[in-house]
Amino acid sequence: PFFALMSRSSKRSREMLVRVSICLLIGHWLDLFLMIGPKVFEHAGIENPSISPIDIGIAFGFGGVFVLVVAKALSRTKLLATGDPFYDEGLALNQ
């Protein structure tokens, strides 16, 4: 991610940020799986551990619940500042 986001244009590209974010999430999940998995599999008596469809389904399930909770929280609040005296001036500067 460091080298992918070096240039200013890549940091401003939504598509690039989504790709890097997905790579980071997959890498983090795999890192946790490799740190925690061996001890769990050893305790369960499994000799050849592998990533099963159930593991992937659980990861997608937690991701879906996370997106649902964040979407509900964002739908309950105002995303634009109200009552800010400099709001119109800020919009004019960004255009």
Side-chain angles (χ1 to χ4, degrees), residues 66-82:
F66 175 77
V67 168
L68 179 69
V69 168
V70 169
K72 280 187 110 33
L74 288 176
S75 69
R76 293 181 183 161
T77 62
K78 294 181 180 178
L79 298 179
L80 296 176
T82 57

Side-chain angles (χ1 to χ4, degrees), residues 13 15-16 24 27 33 37 39 45 54 58 70 75 78-79 83 93 95:
S13 168
E15 181 180 328
M16 180 61 106
L24 283 172
F33 184 82
K39 196 66 172 172
I54 294 173
I58 289 171
V70 169
S75 69
K78 294 181 180 178
L79 298 179
L93 289 175
Q95 294 177 1

Side-chain angles (χ1 to χ4, degrees), residues 25-42:
L25 286 172
I26 290 171
H28 183 63
W29 180 76
L30 185 61
D31 181 43
L32 286 175
F33 184 82
L34 291 175
M35 283 192 304
I36 298 168
K39 196 66 172 172
V40 171
F41 291 129
E42 177 186 319

